[in-house]
Amino acid sequence: MTYFNNINRIQYEGPKSNNPLAFKFYNPEEKVGGKTMEEILRFGVAYWHTFTEDLSDPFGAGTAIRPWDKYQGMDRAKARVEAAFEFFEKINAPFFAFHDVDIAPEGDTLAESNKNLDTIVAMIKEYMKDSKTKLLWNTVNNFSHPRFVHGAGSSSNADVFAYAAAKVKKGLEVGKELGAENYVFWGGREGYETLLNTDMKLEMDNLGRFFHMANDYAKEIGFDAQFLIEPKPKEPTSHQYDFDVASGYAFLQHYGLEDVLKFNIEANHATLAGHTFEHELHYARIHNMLGSVDANQGHPLLGWDTDEFPTDLHTTVLAMYEILKNGGLGRGGLNFDAKVRRGSFTPEDLFHAHIAGMDSFAVGLKVAQRLIDDRVLEDVLEDRYASFKEGIGLDIVEGNTDFHKLEEHALGLTEISNKSGKLERIKATINQYLLTTFAGK
Ligand code: XUL
Ligand code: CO
C-alpha cells in the first residue's frame, strides 16, 4: 500500500525552481568543504511528529489528514511503517528517529507492550534492508502515560523507577536490533513542580543511578550507540533537572557521567531556557559535548515548545557555523523534532515542511562554510582578544602572573583604551554573506 501517490521523489532543482516539491538549496551530492551536504547534514525524520501526531492542541481536536490513520491498533502501527518508509524514500532522508510508543501501541501490560514492539521492530528491520534510511536514534516515552505523573527515573515511587528502567532496557535492545547510531534520553517528567513535596537530592541521585545502570546494560548487550541527554528547562515540569547544557554538564560531571553521555541540543529548548540555539551548541562544543541536534525553532512570541520547522536563516547559519567548527556531528545528525502547524494538515504539507527545513539548513551550511573560509568571525576574535597574545595578557593565559604583578601592571597604566565590539558591522557582514552566497545561481 502506498500513501503519497501524487508525490514523486523530491529532487534538487536549484534556487530558480518554481516547483514547490523540489529542493532549491539542498543538493545532497554537492560538496561543501570536502564533504557532501548529505554527509554533513545527516537529516533525520521524527516519527512522532510526521506519522503519529494528529495536530490536536489544548483547545481543539486533531486536524491532520493521515490516510494510514483509518486503521486501528497494530494495523495502524503497520500502516505507519509503510507510510514512513515511502516518505523517507521520497524526501531522501538518510535517518529517522522514534520513541517506543510512536511505532507500536502500548498493551495492557509491559509484556504485551514489548510484544507489540517486537512485531513492529521486526517489520521496520525488514523495511530497512531495502532502504538507505538508518536509525539516527531511538528513545522511550517515559512521560505520557499517567504512571509517570511524578517522573520516571526521578519518580517518588520506586515501582515507577523500575518500570521506567524496564522500558529503557527494552529501548536499548531495540536500538541494538535496528543499529541505532545514538540513544536519546529526554526526561519529560524528570523535574519537579514544587519543593513543598520534593526530595530533590534523592531524585537527582536516582537519576544519576538510572543513567549508570542504562550504560551498564548497553555495555552488557554490546550496544555501542552514543548516549545523549536532551536538556529542556521547563514543560512539562516547572523545573527540569537538565535545564540547559551548562546545568546538564554539571549534573553529568557530578555523577561521573561526562564520558557516558553527550548532548542532543534542541533549538526550541534553548530558547525556552533563555538562550540562543547557537549558545547551547557553542557551550557543548567547547566542552567536547556536542552529540546531535533536534532541528526546529520556537515561535518568537509564544513561551512554549512550538516545535516549528526551522526556516530562520540567520539561525541556521550560526548553528551550522558551530557544527562545522565542531568538525561535524560525528554519529549525530539534524533530527527534525518539528511538526507542521495545525492548519497545515494535508499529507503534502509534510513534504513542504521537510523541504523548508532541509533547504534552510543547506543555506546555513553553505554560508557558514564561506564565513569560515574567509575567517570572518575568526578575525573578529583575533583582533578583539589581541591583548592576550603578548605582554601581561600572555602572562595571564600562560599562568605566569599573580595579583601582585597584576596590581603593579594596573598602577603603571596611564589610560585604558578599549576597542569597539563592532556588532552592527559583523551582523551586516553576515547578511552580506547570506545574500551573496546564492546570487546569480
Ligand atoms: C520534547 C522533545 C522530545 C525529545 C524526545 O520537547 O524534544 O520529543 O526529542 O523525547
Ligand atoms: Co527534542
Side-chain angles (χ1 to χ4, degrees):
M1 176 97 180
T2 52
Y3 295 93
F4 305 101
N5 295 325
N6 46 1
I7 294 174
N8 297 321
R9 193 161 202 254
I10 308 300
Q11 308 286 347
Y12 170 72
E13 292 187 6
K16 289 214 171 92
S17 168
N18 289 324
N19 177 3
L21 289 167
F23 295 119
K24 318 297 180 305
F25 302 100
Y26 178 58
N27 183 6
E29 281 98 51
E30 182 182 331
K31 288 203 169 166
V32 181
K35 279 189 186 163
T36 67
M37 284 198 181
E38 186 171 73
E39 286 168 324
I40 302 169
L41 295 165
R42 295 169 65 82
F43 288 127
V45 175
Y47 209 95
W48 55 104
H49 286 309
T50 304
F51 308 109
T52 313
E53 169 69 50
D54 69 359
L55 301 180
S56 54
D57 72 12
F59 304 96
T63 56
I65 299 167
R66 303 289 182 252
W68 49 89
D69 278 352
K70 64 180 176 222
Y71 303 104
Q72 289 302 315
M74 285 296 279
D75 288 339
R76 180 162 68 180
K78 289 175 187 169
R80 282 175 176 160
V81 175
E82 284 186 325
F85 278 87
E86 184 189 343
F87 185 82
F88 300 155
E89 147 84 18
K90 289 188 167 170
I91 200 72
N92 193 10
F95 292 102
F96 72 117
F98 63 77
H99 303 78
D100 52 355
V101 302
D102 307 330
I103 61 167
E106 283 197 89
D108 290 336
T109 62
L110 180 61
E112 207 182 298
S113 300
N114 287 347
K115 203 170 139 252
N116 290 348
L117 261 177
D118 288 339
T119 305
I120 300 299
V121 167
M123 184 176 171
I124 290 179
K125 197 171 178 181
E126 273 307 303
Y127 271 77
M128 284 176 80
K129 280 187 188 153
D130 298 322
S131 163
K132 77 166 200 181
T133 309
K134 294 199 243 155
L135 186 55
L136 183 64
W137 51 262
N138 67 311
T139 184
V140 300
N141 178 327
N142 275 353
F143 42 89
S144 293
H145 192 280
R147 77 176 71 85
F148 299 118
V149 59
H150 299 312
S154 65
S155 174
S156 48
N157 180 346
D159 285 341
V160 176
F161 184 99
Y163 201 102
K167 285 194 75 194
V168 171
K169 177 175 177 287
K170 184 71 183 171
L172 296 170
E173 291 160 10
V174 166
K176 182 177 177 198
E177 179 71 9
L178 297 179
E181 297 272 353
N182 306 273
Y183 186 86
V184 165
F185 294 86
W186 172 61
R189 308 268 169 197
E190 312 296 24
Y192 70 93
E193 216 178 320
T194 168
L195 277 179
L196 299 176
N197 62 13
T198 301
D199 184 342
M200 190 200 273
K201 172 91 169 64
L202 178 66
E203 292 199 0
M204 291 186 77
D205 287 352
N206 280 348
L207 211 47
R209 295 181 183 105
F210 194 95
F211 286 124
H212 275 293
M213 286 189 272
N215 186 41
D216 290 346
Y217 187 66
K219 278 198 186 135
E220 187 186 321
I221 63 171
F223 178 39
D224 74 342
Q226 173 171 259
F227 270 24
L228 302 169
I229 186 172
E230 185 178 320
K232 183 174 184 179
K234 54 191 166 192
E235 199 201 21
T237 72
S238 328
H239 308 268
Q240 296 278 135
Y241 289 134
D242 48 357
F243 186 96
D244 59 1
V245 173
S247 66
Y249 190 43
F251 172 90
L252 295 179
Q253 286 179 308
H254 181 73
Y255 291 101
L257 289 160
E258 68 272 32
D259 296 328
V260 173
L261 291 123
K262 287 193 175 182
F263 288 97
N264 182 38
I265 294 171
E266 178 162 328
N268 204 164
H269 295 182
T271 48
L272 279 181
H275 299 307
T276 58
F277 184 22
E278 61 272 18
H279 166 94
E280 289 290 83
L281 294 168
H282 190 94
Y283 203 106
R285 165 166 82 80
I286 62 176
H287 293 96
N288 195 25
M289 293 296 280
L290 175 52
S292 197
V293 170
D294 270 6
N296 63 11
Q297 69 185 27
H299 191 288
L301 304 179
L302 303 176
W304 63 91
D305 196 12
T306 57
D307 282 345
E308 299 180 16
F309 273 84
T311 51
D312 181 275
L313 298 179
H314 191 78
T315 304
T316 60
V317 169
L318 298 185
M320 285 315 301
Y321 177 82
E322 292 301 331
I323 289 167
L324 290 175
K325 293 296 272 189
N326 192 57
L329 285 168
R331 300 185 77 181
L334 292 172
N335 167 54
F336 289 115
D337 190 352
K339 63 172 179 252
V340 288
R341 298 303 87 194
R342 190 164 179 267
S344 310
F345 43 72
T346 71
E348 197 172 293
D349 286 310
L350 296 172
F351 283 89
H352 295 312
H354 282 82
I355 291 168
M358 291 158 92
D359 271 343
S360 298
F361 267 93
V363 170
L365 166 61
K366 286 195 73 167
V367 175
Q369 182 66 53
R370 268 187 75 212
L371 288 170
I372 291 172
D373 290 345
D374 293 353
R375 294 187 44 85
V376 171
L377 299 176
E378 287 71 9
D379 284 346
V380 167
L381 293 194
E382 202 163 288
D383 180 51
R384 189 153 189 247
Y385 294 89
S387 66
F388 286 94
K389 287 274 159 56
E390 58 185 18
I392 191 72
L394 192 60
D395 286 343
I396 292 170
V397 295
E398 289 188 341
N400 290 332
T401 190
D402 56 30
F403 267 24
H404 296 289
K405 289 187 203 153
L406 289 168
E407 184 192 45
E408 196 185 310
H409 180 85
L411 287 170
L413 293 170
T414 44
E415 70 171 317
I416 292 180
S417 67
N418 270 312
K419 288 180 186 167
S420 166
K422 299 183 187 139
L423 180 57
E424 296 76 4
R425 183 178 145 182
I426 299 164
K427 283 187 173 178
T429 307
I430 292 175
N431 281 350
Q432 188 186 10
Y433 272 69
L434 248 167
L435 290 167
T436 55
T437 299
F438 297 93
K441 294 274 164 74

